[in-house]
Amino acid sequence: MRVAVVAGPDPGHAIPAIALCLRFIAAGDDPVLFTGVRWLEAAREAGITARKLKGLAPRPEDDDMDAGQRIHSRAAHISTEVLPDLSAMLPDLVVSDILTAGGGMAAERLDVPWVELSPHPLYSASKGLPPIGSGLAPGEGLRGKTRDALMRAATGRSIKQGLRQRSEARVTVGLPATDPGPVARLIATLPALEVSRPDWPENAHVVGPLLWEPTADLLTPPPGDEPLVMIAPSTAFTGAEGMLETALQALDGAGVRVVASMLDEPPTGLPDWARAGLGRQDALLAQSAAVVCGGGHGMLAKTLLAGVPAVTVPGGGDQWELANRAARQGSAVVVRPLGVDALRAAVLRVLSEPGFGAAAASAAAGLTEVADPVAVCRAAAR
């Protein structure tokens, strides 16, 4: 199967797309990755055919403060920009990241089946859940169900506005106003981070996290026998600021070692019980007793798959939702707002109470229940 995989440059979306391409290659298929220039060299070094996704740059008419306009109007523009490249490669299937909807629009314009990739749990609205992003568990009893219904009504206007914006954008590139949607949806998460809903889409398949290490470098932790705490500051622009600095203050004298995994330039002047830099996170997790992270899906999924408990310091976006799901599952403690005393207490708690590690191991065991994303895509291409 020849498949085009389309994803934007944000690490939380580009990295799962790269991981999916590697799955295709291992299965004997022929993927071509379209993404931001930041990832092209790394993807090629991993053996993936990678091309620049055109149309990502903001245009003068784009309003990035309006999420619906940013996603849908720019998606229509991206679909036009990527159309010649897709036409030239004649794909059997297009996989389009959920935030890079232009790949799906381009596939429709070429009359090619397409699959939507969600590198996190299913975030579509449900008649049985509170709005995604609230961080709340489904309400129970009359009062809880009424709460959820009122909250859904309050967010319903924004959802309808987004649907209108999507329809208007589709019409500008010659597509019908009504969006038929993808043939299938890949929900790239752990079952432990999903929630039961009465209206789960029949074409949505939980396929497990799509993970890839962007470096082969190994980061050596500080020497010693004290528990190792891994700090993973969020890569999202909505992530909480000052996580590493606060963690170093919070854990000073706590009887732990600290290693910070960072894509950016690490700070200087660290204490002798701390290290920071770029290194394979899977190797660090294998040595860690706890993780402090923002609650973004990629890092949280890696942490749970390693059977390591987490202290989450959620920022914006979906981090609050995911942090609370992990806390309800029993594998994490949520710290918000970020503070020295609160962070220290949370880290010491997950280190001292074995239930957190047991819950993380239980989450990792759920990987046996997921579908094969390549098999889902092959079925969609028929």
Side-chain angles (χ1 to χ4, degrees):
M1 180 173 64
R2 189 160 174 80
V3 53
V5 179
V6 180
D10 182 89
H13 295 264
I15 286 177
I18 291 171
L20 181 60
C21 286
L22 293 174
R23 293 278 195 99
F24 281 127
I25 291 171
D29 293 315
D30 185 13
V32 177
L33 175 67
F34 293 88
T35 190
V37 294
R38 174 183 182 181
W39 300 102
L40 295 182
E41 182 178 352
R44 289 165 182 161
E45 288 179 355
I48 300 168
T49 301
R51 299 175 184 169
K52 176 184 175 181
L53 177 58
K54 301 171 185 174
L56 286 173
R59 300 167 298 168
E61 63 266 32
D62 288 336
D63 179 8
D64 278 1
M65 298 303 294
D66 184 335
Q69 198 272 349
R70 182 178 71 246
I71 292 173
H72 304 305
S73 176
R74 193 171 297 170
H77 173 63
I78 288 174
S79 78
T80 298
E81 293 293 303
V82 77
L83 199 63
D85 291 332
L86 291 185
S87 299
M89 69 169 285
L90 297 173
D92 301 299
L93 181 75
V94 173
V95 178
S96 187
D97 178 81
I98 191 168
L99 287 187
T100 317
M105 287 188 185
E108 274 191 77
R109 294 170 70 177
L110 292 174
D111 196 25
V112 172
W114 71 283
V115 169
E116 183 178 77
L117 171 59
S118 296
H120 47 58
L122 179 64
Y123 287 161
S124 59
S126 167
K127 64 182 181 182
L129 299 177
I132 301 298
S134 69
L136 295 170
E140 298 181 357
L142 178 60
R143 179 174 295 182
K145 293 183 184 300
T146 300
R147 177 207 69 184
D148 291 354
L150 291 174
M151 292 181 69
R152 288 194 298 269
T155 58
R157 291 186 293 273
S158 294
I159 293 173
K160 289 179 181 178
Q161 179 183 354
L163 292 174
R164 286 196 301 271
Q165 290 171 321
R166 191 175 187 90
S167 294
E168 292 167 359
R170 288 172 56 83
V171 169
T172 65
V173 292
L175 292 173
T178 301
D179 186 353
V183 177
R185 292 177 168 88
L186 303 178
I187 312 300
T189 192
L190 282 164
L193 291 176
E194 263 301 352
V195 291
S196 177
R197 58 172 73 201
D199 45 7
W200 182 269
E202 291 185 4
N203 69 345
H205 307 269
V206 177
V207 298
L210 292 169
L211 305 174
W212 172 73
E213 294 290 338
T215 181
D217 295 341
L218 297 176
L219 181 60
T220 302
D225 298 324
E226 298 86 356
L228 183 66
V229 178
M230 178 177 169
I231 313 296
S234 175
T235 58
F237 73 92
T238 56
E241 295 184 3
M243 183 189 298
L244 177 57
E245 295 80 4
T246 304
L248 291 173
Q249 294 180 56
L251 299 178
D252 189 8
V256 302
R257 296 171 296 144
V258 166
V259 61
S261 169
M262 308 179 66
L263 288 174
D264 299 324
E265 188 71 21
T268 58
L270 294 175
D272 58 7
W273 48 270
R275 299 285 188 275
L278 178 63
R280 290 187 64 97
Q281 291 181 330
D282 53 356
L284 294 174
L285 284 167
Q287 305 172 69
S288 298
V291 170
V292 178
C293 64
H297 182 264
M299 192 63 230
L300 187 58
K302 280 186 181 181
T303 301
L304 295 182
L305 281 175
V308 178
V311 173
T312 59
V313 186
D318 64 350
Q319 293 184 6
W320 178 249
E321 178 73 31
L322 288 166
N324 279 280
R325 290 190 184 190
R328 289 196 298 270
Q329 190 267 340
S331 58
V333 172
V334 180
V335 174
R336 188 173 180 182
L338 175 61
V340 171
D341 292 340
L343 187 60
R344 182 186 180 97
V347 171
L348 293 178
R349 183 184 173 194
V350 300
L351 288 175
S352 63
E353 298 181 20
F356 291 101
S362 175
L367 195 63
T368 61
E369 305 170 14
V370 303
D372 176 4
V374 174
V376 173
C377 288
R378 286 178 173 172
R382 293 172 184 161

